[in-house]
Amino acid sequence: MLKLVIGNRAYSSWSLRGWLAARHAGLPFEEIFFPLYEADWEQRRRDPLLAPSGGKVPILWDGAVASWHALAIIDHLDRLTGGARFWPADPAARAFAMSVAAEMQSSFQALRGFCPMNTRRRYPGYALSKEAEADTRRVEALWEEGLDRFGGPWIAGADYGAADIMFTPVASRFTTYDVALSAPAEALRARLMAHPFTCAWLAAAATEGHVLERYEF
Ligand SMILES: N[C@@H](CCC(=O)N[C@@H](CS)C(=O)NCC(=O)O)C(=O)O
């Protein structure tokens, strides 16, 4: 059976992506939880299960084959499930979905740093830095473009897929930090947060404990 190693549900945005991908694949998988940044973390991150990723979560094990980085996990699961579940069939929608997913994997550092994911908290009226604001406007523009060009309700068309998985932790940040969005982007934020897999993750995060002061402010 597949094994997915994840960190804290409340804080680990990359774990959320890996886990959503595993759920979306529809294949059985064993979940292995490594609480992040606790007193024994330096020792724990040297566990052989995390060796390929250099001590980071998530990591997907398929037998002896490891994939880490959200997009690599998605690609592995996409191949296991026949290549029709994660990316749109339409070439333009597929190119868009892949491009925005890759942009998410590599970009938006200001937003990610300024607004760490914390699914348990709400900060009404939180003021973004100039750089986090610029990242937000870029995400908003990408979401609007996807909805406009491919008809919604998801980022690249009618089916929930990899692009939606990649941006769900951003939707969570927008929710936590009360970020004002255009009407179409706000509707997409709400849809991403209401997806049944996301709801299951959020419910488990609410009761997992392991409070990390560095993300509570
Ligand atoms: N880009 C990686 C990022 C993985 C990552 O940075 N994970 C964080 C948790 S969200 C982590 O494991 N941090 C532990 C550490 O750096 O010690 C991915 O796509 O999965």
Side-chain angles (χ1 to χ4, degrees):
M1 180 162 50
L2 296 168
K3 285 190 175 81
L4 182 73
V5 187
I6 58 169
N8 307 45
R9 282 180 152 83
Y11 310 118
S12 180
S13 55
W14 293 109
S15 296
L16 171 54
R17 294 182 176 96
W19 187 87
L20 288 174
R23 287 296 307 271
H24 187 60
L27 302 170
F29 67 99
E30 180 193 346
E31 197 177 295
I32 301 170
F33 174 51
F34 272 46
L36 292 171
Y37 310 130
E38 300 202 330
D40 62 349
W41 176 242
E42 275 314 309
Q43 185 192 328
R44 208 176 246 272
R45 75 199 294 275
R46 287 197 282 273
D47 189 290
L49 275 175
L50 299 186
S53 61
K56 289 186 191 292
V57 291
I59 179 164
L60 178 77
W61 286 94
D62 179 4
V65 176
S67 305
W68 63 98
H69 271 296
L71 275 179
I73 292 172
I74 287 170
D75 183 65
H76 192 81
L77 292 168
D78 185 43
R79 284 160 195 267
L80 286 183
T81 52
R85 230 170 234 255
F86 286 89
W87 305 105
D90 169 65
R94 185 183 175 88
F96 180 81
M98 286 227 169
S99 301
V100 300
E103 186 167 339
M104 181 65 249
Q105 177 87 59
S106 62
S107 311
F108 310 121
Q109 274 82 5
L111 178 62
R112 284 152 54 185
F114 200 77
C115 301
M117 190 173 94
N118 186 342
T119 63
R120 292 191 289 242
R121 297 296 292 265
R122 298 291 178 269
Y123 301 107
Y126 196 80
L128 296 183
S129 67
K130 196 158 67 63
E131 295 78 10
E133 181 70 36
D135 279 355
T136 297
R137 299 288 75 96
R138 172 69 183 160
V139 171
E140 184 179 64
L142 292 175
W143 287 8
E144 286 176 1
E145 182 185 343
L147 292 169
D148 196 43
R149 283 176 62 195
F150 308 110
W154 303 107
I155 292 175
D159 299 318
Y160 180 84
D164 306 292
I165 288 167
M166 290 298 287
F167 278 99
T168 293
V170 173
S172 171
R173 289 170 157 102
F174 288 161
T175 307
T176 293
Y177 297 94
D178 191 26
V179 176
L181 299 169
S182 67
E186 169 56 24
L188 179 60
R189 181 205 62 77
R191 271 195 297 282
L192 290 170
M193 294 304 285
H195 189 279
F197 297 157
T198 306
C199 289
W201 176 275
L202 296 174
T207 57
E208 80 181 338
H210 299 284
V211 173
L212 294 174
E213 290 308 328
R214 65 167 85 175
Y215 298 128
E216 304 289 337
F217 42 89

